[in-house]
Amino acid sequence: SFHSSNNAFFSISNNIGVNNIKTRGSTASSSSSSSTSSTTSLFSMSSAASSSILSSLHADNSFVLSALLVVSACGISMEQKTTFGKALSAPLVTMLISLILANIGVMPFNSPVYKLVNKVLVPLAVPLFLFDSDLQRVLRETGSLLVAFAVGALSTVIGTIAAFSIVPLKSLGEEGWKVACALASRHIGGAINFVAVADTLNIDGSIVSAAIAADNVVVALYFAF
């Protein structure tokens, strides 16, 4: 009888201990789950707040224009003061910085400011270039330069046709041949021609940006080696 009572007592004690352990484990698990949920909730709230702030900044044309000016100034400064910038040139450094900022969400991928730059400010670069030209030298050397330009332009057109037949840019769909034409014009008459042809052929803005960036990287590598 004594042994039976003793066993019963130990059995009850063990059950109580196991139940206490389970209760504590359950409480700890609930606390951990609650802490994780709170952390996730705070992270979601901070992400939503950041997205809201960036969205409002992206819609502000003054912010976008200021960002473009700052990035351009950084590109020019890096070209003048660093070996890396001199090797790549200010336009390419500016594009790389802009690409990074756009992909981390600081700058928007599309903005009315970009259209203003492409359609108004870039064309103004032509008369600015002419202001610094020596017209007497231009007229004196037009003959030899005209022949060289004609040979270069014809070679560019032939090279573009040959390259497009080998690499038809199928991933771009109907935009492929348009990008090829814009790149050909860019290597004949510069970036201003690229923008003009892209605008005439109604190439998507994101494709235009990607094509300019890719072209500048390849050209930089070509001249670097």
Side-chain angles (χ1 to χ4, degrees):
S1 173
F2 173 77
H3 286 296
S4 298
S5 299
N6 205 15
N7 288 336
F9 175 76
F10 280 117
S11 176
I12 293 171
S13 297
N14 286 335
N15 287 335
I16 292 173
V18 170
N19 287 335
N20 284 338
I21 291 172
K22 288 183 178 178
T23 302
R24 290 174 184 173
S26 165
T27 304
S29 177
S30 298
S31 298
S32 176
S33 226
S34 174
S35 175
T36 304
S37 176
S38 300
T39 303
T40 305
S41 177
L42 288 173
F43 180 75
S44 299
M45 290 174 63
S46 63
S47 296
S50 300
S51 298
S52 176
I53 293 172
L54 287 174
S55 297
S56 62
L57 289 175
H58 291 173
D60 186 355
N61 292 335
S62 298
F63 168 78
V64 178
L65 183 59
S66 299
L68 287 178
L69 293 174
V70 171
V71 170
S72 301
C74 289
I76 295 171
S77 178
M78 289 185 68
E79 182 185 39
Q80 294 174 347
K81 299 180 180 180
T82 66
T83 305
F84 174 78
K86 290 178 182 177
L88 294 181
S89 77
L92 187 56
V93 173
T94 302
M95 287 182 185
L96 289 175
I97 297 174
S98 301
L99 184 64
I100 294 171
L101 293 179
N103 278 276
I104 64 176
V106 176
M107 292 178 65
F109 285 106
N110 295 299
S111 173
V113 176
Y114 301 158
K115 295 181 180 178
L116 172 68
V117 172
N118 287 333
K119 293 186 176 181
V120 178
L121 298 183
V122 172
L124 284 175
V126 175
L128 289 177
F129 284 139
L130 293 177
F131 289 154
D132 196 34
S133 301
D134 184 350
L135 292 180
Q136 292 183 350
R137 182 181 176 185
V138 169
L139 293 174
R140 185 171 60 251
E141 298 180 357
T142 295
S144 58
L145 289 175
L146 183 60
V147 174
F149 177 80
V151 172
L154 181 60
S155 301
T156 301
V157 172
I158 295 173
T160 301
I161 295 172
F164 187 72
S165 63
I166 298 172
V167 186
L169 302 177
K170 293 181 179 179
S171 60
L172 299 180
E174 290 296 323
E175 302 283 348
W177 68 271
K178 297 179 181 179
V179 171
C181 293
L183 287 174
S185 67
R186 181 254 190 275
H187 289 285
I188 292 174
I192 296 174
N193 278 16
F194 181 96
V195 173
V197 172
D199 186 58
T200 301
L201 297 177
N202 295 318
I203 303 176
D204 183 76
S206 59
I207 295 178
V208 170
S209 301
I212 292 177
D215 179 70
N216 277 277
V217 169
V218 172
V219 170
L221 292 174
Y222 174 80
F223 283 109
F225 298 100

mmCIF file of all heavy atoms in Angstrom, residues 76-94:
data_model
loop_
_atom_site.group_PDB
_atom_site.id
_atom_site.type_symbol
_atom_site.label_atom_id
_atom_site.label_comp_id
_atom_site.label_asym_id
_atom_site.label_seq_id
_atom_site.Cartn_x
_atom_site.Cartn_y
_atom_site.Cartn_z
ATOM 1 N N ILE A 76 31.576 64.805 -63.882
ATOM 2 C CA ILE A 76 32.617 65.728 -64.362
ATOM 3 C C ILE A 76 33.778 65.790 -63.374
ATOM 4 O O ILE A 76 34.954 65.775 -63.756
ATOM 5 C CB ILE A 76 32.018 67.135 -64.576
ATOM 6 C CG1 ILE A 76 30.978 67.101 -65.706
ATOM 7 C CG2 ILE A 76 33.105 68.144 -64.891
ATOM 8 C CD1 ILE A 76 30.189 68.380 -65.852
ATOM 9 N N SER A 77 33.454 65.846 -62.076
ATOM 10 C CA SER A 77 34.488 65.916 -61.046
ATOM 11 C C SER A 77 35.348 64.653 -61.033
ATOM 12 O O SER A 77 36.582 64.730 -60.907
ATOM 13 C CB SER A 77 33.829 66.114 -59.674
ATOM 14 O OG SER A 77 34.789 66.140 -58.647
ATOM 15 N N MET A 78 34.714 63.483 -61.182
ATOM 16 C CA MET A 78 35.467 62.232 -61.187
ATOM 17 C C MET A 78 36.365 62.130 -62.416
ATOM 18 O O MET A 78 37.471 61.592 -62.336
ATOM 19 C CB MET A 78 34.502 61.042 -61.127
ATOM 20 C CG MET A 78 33.819 60.867 -59.783
ATOM 21 S SD MET A 78 32.802 59.377 -59.703
ATOM 22 C CE MET A 78 34.074 58.104 -59.758
ATOM 23 N N GLU A 79 35.910 62.658 -63.549
ATOM 24 C CA GLU A 79 36.746 62.643 -64.753
ATOM 25 C C GLU A 79 37.991 63.509 -64.560
ATOM 26 O O GLU A 79 39.081 63.169 -65.019
ATOM 27 C CB GLU A 79 35.956 63.140 -65.956
ATOM 28 C CG GLU A 79 36.759 63.093 -67.249
ATOM 29 C CD GLU A 79 36.013 63.711 -68.422
ATOM 30 O OE1 GLU A 79 35.338 64.745 -68.207
ATOM 31 O OE2 GLU A 79 36.105 63.164 -69.535
ATOM 32 N N GLN A 80 37.832 64.626 -63.867
ATOM 33 C CA GLN A 80 38.943 65.562 -63.693
ATOM 34 C C GLN A 80 39.906 65.156 -62.581
ATOM 35 O O GLN A 80 41.098 65.460 -62.653
ATOM 36 C CB GLN A 80 38.386 66.956 -63.391
ATOM 37 C CG GLN A 80 37.601 67.566 -64.547
ATOM 38 C CD GLN A 80 36.950 68.887 -64.172
ATOM 39 O OE1 GLN A 80 36.866 69.248 -62.980
ATOM 40 N NE2 GLN A 80 36.468 69.623 -65.165
ATOM 41 N N LYS A 81 39.410 64.419 -61.564
ATOM 42 C CA LYS A 81 40.224 64.183 -60.381
ATOM 43 C C LYS A 81 40.604 62.727 -60.129
ATOM 44 O O LYS A 81 41.424 62.473 -59.237
ATOM 45 C CB LYS A 81 39.481 64.717 -59.143
ATOM 46 C CG LYS A 81 39.215 66.215 -59.200
ATOM 47 C CD LYS A 81 38.476 66.691 -57.966
ATOM 48 C CE LYS A 81 38.211 68.183 -58.015
ATOM 49 N NZ LYS A 81 37.478 68.662 -56.817
ATOM 50 N N THR A 82 40.011 61.783 -60.858
ATOM 51 C CA THR A 82 40.324 60.375 -60.603
ATOM 52 C C THR A 82 40.763 59.668 -61.878
ATOM 53 O O THR A 82 40.338 60.025 -62.980
ATOM 54 C CB THR A 82 39.104 59.632 -60.020
ATOM 55 O OG1 THR A 82 38.059 59.580 -60.997
ATOM 56 C CG2 THR A 82 38.591 60.318 -58.770
ATOM 57 N N THR A 83 41.617 58.668 -61.716
ATOM 58 C CA THR A 83 42.079 57.871 -62.855
ATOM 59 C C THR A 83 40.920 57.076 -63.453
ATOM 60 O O THR A 83 40.815 56.927 -64.672
ATOM 61 C CB THR A 83 43.191 56.909 -62.413
ATOM 62 O OG1 THR A 83 44.232 57.665 -61.786
ATOM 63 C CG2 THR A 83 43.760 56.143 -63.595
ATOM 64 N N PHE A 84 40.070 56.557 -62.562
ATOM 65 C CA PHE A 84 38.904 55.785 -63.006
ATOM 66 C C PHE A 84 37.991 56.638 -63.881
ATOM 67 O O PHE A 84 37.528 56.210 -64.940
ATOM 68 C CB PHE A 84 38.140 55.283 -61.771
ATOM 69 C CG PHE A 84 36.850 54.592 -62.087
ATOM 70 C CD1 PHE A 84 36.844 53.285 -62.556
ATOM 71 C CD2 PHE A 84 35.629 55.248 -61.912
ATOM 72 C CE1 PHE A 84 35.648 52.640 -62.842
ATOM 73 C CE2 PHE A 84 34.443 54.616 -62.192
ATOM 74 C CZ PHE A 84 34.450 53.306 -62.662
ATOM 75 N N GLY A 85 37.740 57.877 -63.439
ATOM 76 C CA GLY A 85 36.877 58.773 -64.202
ATOM 77 C C GLY A 85 37.475 59.159 -65.538
ATOM 78 O O GLY A 85 36.773 59.250 -66.539
ATOM 79 N N LYS A 86 38.801 59.375 -65.558
ATOM 80 C CA LYS A 86 39.461 59.729 -66.820
ATOM 81 C C LYS A 86 39.385 58.588 -67.828
ATOM 82 O O LYS A 86 39.241 58.801 -69.025
ATOM 83 C CB LYS A 86 40.925 60.089 -66.553
ATOM 84 C CG LYS A 86 41.111 61.403 -65.812
ATOM 85 C CD LYS A 86 42.585 61.661 -65.535
ATOM 86 C CE LYS A 86 42.764 62.958 -64.759
ATOM 87 N NZ LYS A 86 44.190 63.211 -64.413
ATOM 88 N N ALA A 87 39.482 57.341 -67.327
ATOM 89 C CA ALA A 87 39.433 56.182 -68.219
ATOM 90 C C ALA A 87 38.045 55.990 -68.819
ATOM 91 O O ALA A 87 37.908 55.596 -69.983
ATOM 92 C CB ALA A 87 39.855 54.929 -67.462
ATOM 93 N N LEU A 88 37.006 56.293 -68.034
ATOM 94 C CA LEU A 88 35.636 56.057 -68.508
ATOM 95 C C LEU A 88 35.019 57.279 -69.183
ATOM 96 O O LEU A 88 34.144 57.135 -70.027
ATOM 97 C CB LEU A 88 34.752 55.623 -67.336
ATOM 98 C CG LEU A 88 35.075 54.275 -66.701
ATOM 99 C CD1 LEU A 88 34.095 53.982 -65.572
ATOM 100 C CD2 LEU A 88 35.038 53.160 -67.730
ATOM 101 N N SER A 89 35.412 58.476 -68.788
ATOM 102 C CA SER A 89 34.855 59.763 -69.240
ATOM 103 C C SER A 89 33.655 60.156 -68.386
ATOM 104 O O SER A 89 32.963 59.298 -67.815
ATOM 105 C CB SER A 89 34.447 59.739 -70.720
ATOM 106 O OG SER A 89 33.213 59.055 -70.905
ATOM 107 N N ALA A 90 33.400 61.450 -68.321
ATOM 108 C CA ALA A 90 32.323 61.991 -67.485
ATOM 109 C C ALA A 90 30.941 61.450 -67.865
ATOM 110 O O ALA A 90 30.158 61.087 -66.976
ATOM 111 C CB ALA A 90 32.339 63.514 -67.540
ATOM 112 N N PRO A 91 30.581 61.389 -69.165
ATOM 113 C CA PRO A 91 29.245 60.867 -69.510
ATOM 114 C C PRO A 91 29.021 59.442 -69.021
ATOM 115 O O PRO A 91 27.946 59.122 -68.493
ATOM 116 C CB PRO A 91 29.229 60.934 -71.046
ATOM 117 C CG PRO A 91 30.184 62.014 -71.386
ATOM 118 C CD PRO A 91 31.280 61.899 -70.361
ATOM 119 N N LEU A 92 30.027 58.580 -69.169
ATOM 120 C CA LEU A 92 29.855 57.187 -68.758
ATOM 121 C C LEU A 92 29.785 57.060 -67.244
ATOM 122 O O LEU A 92 28.963 56.295 -66.709
ATOM 123 C CB LEU A 92 31.003 56.330 -69.306
ATOM 124 C CG LEU A 92 30.853 54.817 -69.082
ATOM 125 C CD1 LEU A 92 29.540 54.330 -69.656
ATOM 126 C CD2 LEU A 92 32.013 54.078 -69.720
ATOM 127 N N VAL A 93 30.604 57.820 -66.529
ATOM 128 C CA VAL A 93 30.551 57.807 -65.058
ATOM 129 C C VAL A 93 29.186 58.288 -64.579
ATOM 130 O O VAL A 93 28.577 57.707 -63.665
ATOM 131 C CB VAL A 93 31.669 58.682 -64.454
ATOM 132 C CG1 VAL A 93 31.497 58.803 -62.941
ATOM 133 C CG2 VAL A 93 33.029 58.092 -64.774
ATOM 134 N N THR A 94 28.693 59.342 -65.221
ATOM 135 C CA THR A 94 27.367 59.869 -64.868
ATOM 136 C C THR A 94 26.285 58.822 -65.101
ATOM 137 O O THR A 94 25.375 58.649 -64.274
ATOM 138 C CB THR A 94 27.056 61.123 -65.705
ATOM 139 O OG1 THR A 94 28.069 62.115 -65.469
ATOM 140 C CG2 THR A 94 25.704 61.705 -65.338
#
